Amino acid sequence: MDQVDLLELYAGAAPSRGVTTWLVDVLRAAIAGGSLPAGARLPATRALAAELGLSRGVIVEAYQRLTDEGLLSGRAGAGTVVIARAGVPRQESRPRDTSGLRLPLPPSAEIDLDLSPGVPDLSAFPRAAWLRAERIVLGSASNADLGYGDPRGSPRLRAELASWLARTRGVRATADDLIVTGGVAQALALLSQSLRSRGVAAVAIEDPGSRGTREELAHWGLETVPIAVDDQGIRVADLDATGLQTVLLTPAHQFPTGVVLSPARRRALLDRSADGPGLIIEDDYDAEHRYDRAPVAALQGSGPERVAYAGSVSKSLAPGMRLGWLIAPRRLHAELVTAKHASDLGNPALPQLVLAHLLAGGDYERHLRTVRRRQRTRRDALLRGLAEHLPSARVEGVAAGLHLLITLPGTADDTELARRIERAGVRVHPLSWHRQLDGPPGLVLGYAALPPDRLHEAARRIGQTIDRSRRSSR
C-alpha cells in the first residue's frame, strides 16, 4: 500500500513556515483516525521527502517527534512503523469523583496531551544498552545468580548501588545495609508494616504532598497528619506541635511544590530525632534531575541512624522496571528483611544483574546525562509556552524534576479548571488533589513525556481554557 497516497499529502498543502509541525500534525491525525493503523509502515524518509518536495531533514524530524510520543518505532533495516494509536481530544467530560481517585491515572484515548506529573520520558529508555548488558549478564550468570538468593537483593547490585549512592547522593551505607525493593512503593509498604508492629499509628507528611504516598500509608493502616510546606520546605515548628515522631518528606525536590528543604530545616529535623525513637522517611524524589546546579545531598548522609532512605529508577529508567532500594537505620534492618522475604522472596534476578552491569560500566550515568539534557529542553519549552499563553501564572520551585507547579491568581476551584482543561484534551493535576489542608489553587504539570512542540501546544490549550473560564465568570 502506498501510504503517501493514503495520506493524500502534497507539498502545496504545507504552510510557508512550520512545515515540520504541519507534517507531524497530519501524521498524528492519520494515526488517531485509523488511516494509519498500528503495524502500518511509513514511507522511507528519502522517498517521502522526494514525493512532497521537502528536505529529508523535515521528514526525519517529524518521524522522530512521533517516535518520542510513542506512536512510531524506527529501526535500521526495518523502516518506520506505527505502534500505537494517538489519543483524540474528548468532546464531553463528566465530573470525576475524586473521593475514589487512585493515582497514577490510566491512559485515556480522550487525552492526547497527558501532563500527569511523575511520568518519565519512556521513549528515552536505553534499550540498546540494556540489551547489550542483558546478553553479557546471561552469558556470565551462574545458576545461583538465577535462584531465590538473598531477599535483600543481588549482592552485586547492592554493592554497585552503595557505591553509586555514596558518590552521587552522599548516602552513608554498605551493601549489607541495602534492601532492593519493587520501587519506593514497596519500601513504604515495608516501613509501614514495621511502624505498625512497633505501635506507631500516625505519620506526619508534607502538605501539599503526594496523594499516592498518602494513599499508600493509609492502606497499611497509618493515619497521615498534614504539615504545611512553605518556600523552605516542611515547617518543622508545625511538626513539633503535633508530637509525632515519624515524618515522611521529599527534601531534595518537594512534590509538588518543587522547593528544596532549607539547611536550617534539615538541621532542625535531624536534631529533633537525635535522642528519641523518631524516624525520618526520606523519599529521594526526583533528586537525579536537577538542571541548574548539583542537587543537594541526601538527608540520610547526615543521620543514617535517624533516616530511612528510599529511591528508585522509576523516574530515570521506567516505572515498569519496579526497581528501587531502601536503606533504613540498622535497628530496623532485620525486621524489614523479614517482611521483604515474606512479601515476595526477593525481586526478579535478571533486571537486578543488568542494572548492576550498567552502573559498573558507567552506562547508567551516561543515560542520566542524556535524559537530563532532554528534560531541561522540555521544561524550557513548557516555560516558554506558559509565558506566551498564560503570562499570569506563577511557576513555583527550582529547576528540577519532571513537573512544574503553577499557581493562578484569581482562580477559585482548580479541580473544576482541570476538568475544563481535560475537555480540551490535556490532562493536568489540580493542586487540591495533593492537599489535605486549605491552600491556594494551582495546577501540577508534568513535562517529561512530551516533546517540546507538544508541550507548547499544551500550554496554548491551557491558556485558552483559563482565559475562557475567566471571561465566563465575569
Side-chain angles (χ1 to χ4, degrees):
M1 182 184 299
D2 186 344
Q3 297 292 355
V4 178
D5 291 341
L6 176 65
L7 291 171
E8 298 180 351
L9 295 172
Y10 60 97
S16 58
R17 300 178 63 182
V19 66
T20 303
T21 298
W22 165 80
L23 180 58
V24 168
D25 290 341
V26 169
L27 291 172
R28 189 188 296 111
I31 295 169
S35 299
L36 284 174
R41 189 181 303 277
L42 269 65
T45 54
R46 292 185 188 280
L48 186 56
E51 181 75 18
L52 298 179
L54 301 173
S55 74
R56 181 169 175 260
V58 167
I59 314 300
V60 170
E61 174 64 18
Y63 281 13
Q64 184 59 54
R65 288 189 193 179
L66 293 169
T67 299
D68 287 346
E69 292 180 35
L71 302 181
L72 303 180
S73 174
R75 290 182 298 169
T80 303
V81 177
V82 177
I83 60 173
R85 181 173 178 175
V88 294
R90 69 157 109 201
Q91 298 303 311
E92 297 188 21
S93 175
R94 293 175 292 179
R96 180 183 290 114
D97 178 9
T98 59
S99 63
L101 182 70
R102 289 292 181 269
L103 301 177
L105 297 174
S108 170
E110 299 169 323
I111 301 295
D112 66 329
L113 296 170
D114 192 340
L115 271 62
S116 296
V119 180
D121 179 9
L122 299 177
S123 70
F125 184 86
R127 296 170 187 259
W130 189 273
L131 283 171
R132 285 195 302 271
E134 195 166 84
R135 284 193 292 268
I136 293 170
V137 164
L138 284 172
S140 60
S142 67
N143 291 339
D145 285 332
L146 302 178
Y148 282 111
D150 192 324
R152 294 175 299 174
S154 159
R156 199 177 313 169
L157 176 57
R158 287 187 287 116
E160 292 297 338
L161 280 173
S163 175
W164 183 73
L165 291 169
R167 186 175 70 254
T168 63
R169 303 296 301 122
V171 167
R172 291 164 55 192
T174 68
D176 287 338
D177 296 318
L178 269 110
I179 302 172
V180 177
T181 63
V184 171
Q186 189 182 36
L188 295 179
L190 297 176
L191 287 166
S192 297
Q193 294 169 66
S194 173
L195 290 167
R196 289 290 292 160
S197 72
R198 291 168 176 258
V200 175
V203 174
I205 62 170
E206 299 164 315
D207 193 278
S210 168
R211 180 177 182 138
T213 295
R214 189 168 81 232
E215 292 169 349
E216 172 85 8
L217 298 178
H219 175 80
W220 294 105
L222 291 170
E223 179 188 355
T224 56
V225 178
I227 309 297
V229 170
D230 60 24
D231 59 358
Q232 296 186 60
I234 194 168
R235 294 170 59 172
V236 181
D238 293 359
L239 173 61
D240 289 340
T242 68
L244 293 173
Q245 296 298 308
T246 304
V247 58
L248 188 153
L249 65 158
T250 50
H253 183 235
Q254 201 275 333
F255 182 89
T257 67
V259 302
V260 177
L261 187 67
S262 71
R265 300 270 175 94
R266 288 167 68 97
R267 289 192 297 270
L269 278 169
L270 292 167
D271 288 346
R272 75 184 299 271
S273 58
D275 301 319
L279 180 68
I280 301 168
I281 302 173
E282 179 179 14
D283 178 356
D284 206 21
Y285 185 82
D286 273 354
E288 64 269 35
H289 297 287
R290 184 73 189 258
Y291 310 123
D292 57 346
R293 53 181 289 186
V296 64
L299 197 61
Q300 190 271 355
S302 299
E305 285 306 310
R306 288 165 260 173
V307 178
Y309 173 87
S312 78
V313 300
S314 293
K315 305 299 184 288
S316 55
L317 287 176
M321 300 304 297
R322 306 315 305 142
L323 271 174
W325 46 85
L326 171 62
I327 304 170
R330 289 176 180 172
R331 67 181 188 274
L332 303 178
H333 185 78
E335 64 190 80
L336 290 169
V337 173
T338 299
K340 171 66 175 170
H341 180 268
S343 173
D344 57 16
L345 302 181
N347 287 60
L350 188 57
Q352 292 186 69
L353 296 173
V354 173
L355 180 57
H357 182 87
L358 294 176
L359 285 164
D363 294 280
Y364 184 70
E365 188 63 40
R366 284 189 287 274
H367 167 70
L368 277 179
R369 287 197 294 269
T370 299
V371 168
R372 285 190 199 105
R373 288 193 295 270
R374 286 168 66 105
Q375 307 302 41
R376 180 166 188 168
T377 298
R378 294 177 180 203
R379 183 178 188 274
D380 290 346
L382 181 55
L383 287 173
R384 287 194 300 271
L386 292 171
E388 179 179 349
H389 299 290
L390 192 59
S392 63
R394 176 179 173 181
V395 178
E396 310 285 350
V398 299
L402 309 182
H403 74 275
L404 295 175
L405 170 63
I406 60 172
T407 52
L408 305 162
T411 301
D413 186 346
D414 55 13
T415 301
E416 176 56 31
L417 182 59
R419 289 195 187 105
R420 295 184 181 187
I421 293 170
E422 189 169 293
R423 286 197 288 268
V426 182
R427 173 177 284 166
V428 301
H429 281 199
L431 180 57
S432 58
W433 279 3
H434 301 283
R435 280 194 185 282
Q436 291 175 274
L437 303 173
D438 291 335
L443 299 175
V444 189
L445 314 177
Y447 52 77
L450 295 175
D453 66 314
R454 302 303 287 158
L455 290 167
H456 192 275
E457 170 63 14
R460 185 187 68 81
R461 294 189 201 176
I462 293 169
Q464 285 185 343
T465 301
I466 292 175
D467 186 53
R468 285 196 298 268
S469 296
R470 287 171 175 168
R471 289 200 302 269
S472 65
S473 64
R474 290 173 184 168

